[in-house]
Amino acid sequence: MKHYLKKLEDTVRKQWNQKALCDYQGDSFTYAELATNIEQFRIFLSEAGITKRSKIAICARNSARWAISFWNVNVNECVAVPLLADFHPNGIATLTHHSDSVLLFTDQDIWAKLNPEQMPSLKAAINVKDFQMLWSRDDRVAEAWEEREELFERQHPSGFLPEKVSYPTDNLDKLAIINYTSGTTGNPKGVMLTYGALSDTDEFANSHFPNKPGETIVSMLPMAHMYGLAIEFIHPNVDGVTVYYLGKTPSPTTLLKAMKDVKPYMVVTVPLVMEKVYANSIKPALEKMNWLLSVPQAGKLVNMIVRKKILSAFGGRVRCFIMGGAALKPEVEQCFQKIRLPFTVGYGMTEACPLLGWEWWTNFVPGSCGKPVHEIRIDSEDPKNVAGEIQARGENITIGYYKNPEANAVAFTDDGWFRTGDLGTMDEEGNIFIRGRIKSMILNSSGQNIYPEEIEAVLSSCPYVNESIVVDRKGKIVALVYPELPDDMDKKARNGIPELIRNTANKSLPNYSKIAKVKLVEEPFEKTPKMSIKRFLYS
């Protein structure tokens, strides 16, 4: 297994003057400038008395300087603690303190809402937008930061040359990242991932969706989430791919303009984005060409035209759409298969850095989430037919949760397999089918296991359903639905929508899991950054 930092070292040397990290329509940094920043940070750590393995938090919106901050920390063997900018200020302060972080890279707006007294281990806060110091309680740290460029010039009077670049690779078993989950089940846990886990993920990614120097990618997922960090940033960047950052969540128009300008080789996204592309562009286009389908052989032509239109909208160079974080709606999945869009829906979680399942689009089985990245087993006497907990092991798996002995005690089986908390089955070919979360499973009065996610998949195909969540209310199955209704729909018709949805869904459901009531909600469900609904808020 080749260390990803060795690959970064090789790339920095070979692609010295190539752009490495860019803000879309903003600042850009070459690999030479990245290497210079990493070296300046090494000097700063030494002068400030901050040792290896110290924790350093990063909490801000995606940007090129966010990425530089990460490389500064990671290459110099401190532990990076990426925190979501969407966390509540009290949550940011709590996690910064819990992680024992001594530095915080953030922005002025976030810092203004934080109280340093809640973070007693913190020595300084640095503005990720311009690398100016926002605050410090340690004069030595403040002085070292202000003098880092001058000290760099003293140590490298002839300039910093490619041959001086050397990054550590004897640390595969050492802690690299503490990534706090933002999942569907409540309080964040600090997932500990090693340099070996990151190297393993990069190696798998390189063998399944490789890239080459000079290619480009648009980053739209939060880098404080392992999906965006590992697949959309680390894997491409160490191979010489220029990463462009959009910053705040873009509008569809801005996103597609960026795609056309940047021309990415790969699009990493969540199903919700592609479902919107389907609803707003693909489905209307197919409906307009419905008349052609009666003409012999015209179906293939229609699919080819639609496929070409989609690829062109994303810049024309996309070889793969990678979707993860949630299940793709069956209707959308079937359409993408039919038009032969190069896509896959993987399976992963923070604790797996983040990949557990994957399959290339040509071999992808609809309804599945790919084949195991490493070892997967189903804790069931009949794994093909009876759902059991999905358990995993491999170099990519977490070594545990930071300062959380209670979570660690239940995270692994006695023989060392990680408990995912997901329920699933696996067929003879190794295709993984997720049935739901153990915590969300409903056990009815007859002892029948009911998986809300399966009912939600049926609801997604019902009229007027935008998104839904199924819950148990006093022993009855209730579907909460955020609808998509026409503006001109009258009150009487609207009042009939819940029963229409219930009757439509129940036609496709077995008796034991039929819906007793459908309740419309006025606002979209609250979600995690990977767009999974926060179920614990609605149970």
Side-chain angles (χ1 to χ4, degrees), residues 13-195:
R13 290 181 172 188
K14 294 175 184 175
Q15 313 298 325
W16 192 248
N17 294 314
Q18 179 193 302
K19 288 182 180 179
L21 301 159
C22 305
D23 292 319
Y24 176 62
Q25 296 182 331
D27 294 337
S28 64
F29 300 88
T30 64
Y31 279 99
E33 290 169 319
L34 172 60
T36 297
N37 270 275
I38 292 170
E39 176 63 8
Q40 287 178 353
F41 198 75
R42 181 194 67 78
I43 294 169
F44 156 71
L45 292 173
S46 177
E47 290 295 315
I50 298 174
T51 59
K52 290 182 181 180
R53 315 301 171 211
S54 295
K55 283 70 175 185
I56 299 177
I58 311 172
C59 182
R61 302 285 176 192
N62 283 10
S63 69
R65 284 184 173 84
W66 193 111
I68 290 172
S69 301
F70 175 84
W71 282 133
N72 285 347
V73 174
N74 184 250
V75 173
N76 286 296
E77 297 188 279
C78 288
V79 178
V81 184
L83 299 175
L84 287 157
D86 290 330
F87 279 148
H88 188 276
N90 284 339
I92 294 170
T94 297
L95 298 180
T96 300
H97 173 57
H98 181 269
S99 64
D100 302 309
S101 290
V102 297
L103 295 177
L104 171 63
F105 283 89
T106 187
D107 63 43
Q108 208 154 11
D109 292 339
I110 293 173
W111 179 251
K113 300 171 186 175
L114 302 181
N115 179 4
E117 297 306 311
Q118 292 180 274
M119 302 172 281
S121 299
L122 199 65
K123 297 177 183 293
I126 298 163
N127 193 338
V128 78
K129 291 187 176 180
D130 57 13
F131 289 156
Q132 295 299 306
M133 186 157 284
L134 292 166
W135 168 92
S136 74
R137 62 160 52 99
D138 187 311
D139 291 341
R140 181 180 177 185
V141 170
E143 186 176 337
W145 185 256
E146 294 303 321
E147 294 180 352
R148 71 191 188 285
E149 293 181 8
E150 181 183 336
L151 293 169
F152 170 83
E153 289 176 3
R154 283 187 207 164
Q155 291 192 26
H156 303 281
S158 302
F160 193 58
L161 303 175
E163 53 267 29
K164 292 183 179 179
V165 173
S166 178
Y167 299 150
T169 58
D170 59 347
N171 51 15
L172 289 173
D173 63 339
K174 298 295 191 297
L175 181 61
I177 293 175
I178 300 173
N179 193 207
Y180 284 89
T181 62
S182 56
T184 59
T185 55
N187 294 330
K189 292 181 290 189
V191 179
M192 297 188 290
L193 296 166
T194 65
Y195 286 89

Side-chain angles (χ1 to χ4, degrees), residues 205 238 240 361 478 510:
V238 300
W361 71 283
V478 176

Side-chain angles (χ1 to χ4, degrees), residues 324-468:
L328 193 62
K329 287 184 178 180
E331 176 188 357
V332 181
E333 183 178 84
Q334 290 165 15
C335 174
F336 287 173
Q337 284 277 342
K338 191 173 181 181
I339 66 175
R340 295 182 61 78
L341 191 73
F343 84 104
T344 187
V345 178
Y347 167 43
M349 58 197 311
T350 304
E351 289 88 342
C353 193
L355 299 176
L356 286 167
W358 156 271
E359 183 56 273
W360 188 239
W361 71 283
T362 50
N363 301 317
F364 181 72
V365 175
S368 77
C369 55
K371 293 184 174 65
V373 168
H374 289 305
E375 291 184 272
I376 291 282
R377 73 180 184 186
I378 308 295
D379 187 22
S380 166
E381 293 181 2
D382 183 7
K384 297 175 191 173
N385 302 301
V386 179
E389 183 179 40
I390 301 171
Q391 299 175 353
R393 66 181 180 186
E395 294 293 327
N396 60 325
I397 299 297
T398 179
I399 56 174
Y401 299 103
Y402 189 63
K403 297 196 314 191
N404 195 335
E406 295 83 5
N408 288 333
V410 297
F412 296 90
T413 64
D414 291 340
D415 55 348
W417 291 71
F418 176 72
R419 301 179 185 272
T420 67
D422 291 324
L423 289 165
T425 57
M426 190 159 57
D427 65 18
E428 292 179 353
E429 285 73 41
N431 295 297
I432 307 163
F433 297 83
I434 296 177
R435 300 288 292 275
R437 291 287 295 172
I438 288 175
K439 290 183 179 179
S440 64
M441 186 187 78
I442 298 170
L443 184 66
N444 71 7
S445 58
S446 302
Q448 180 70 47
N449 292 342
I450 298 171
Y451 307 103
E453 292 84 355
E454 292 185 345
I455 302 175
E456 290 156 13
V458 172
L459 283 165
S460 71
S461 299
C462 292
Y464 306 113
V465 175
N466 188 316
E467 56 183 1
S468 67

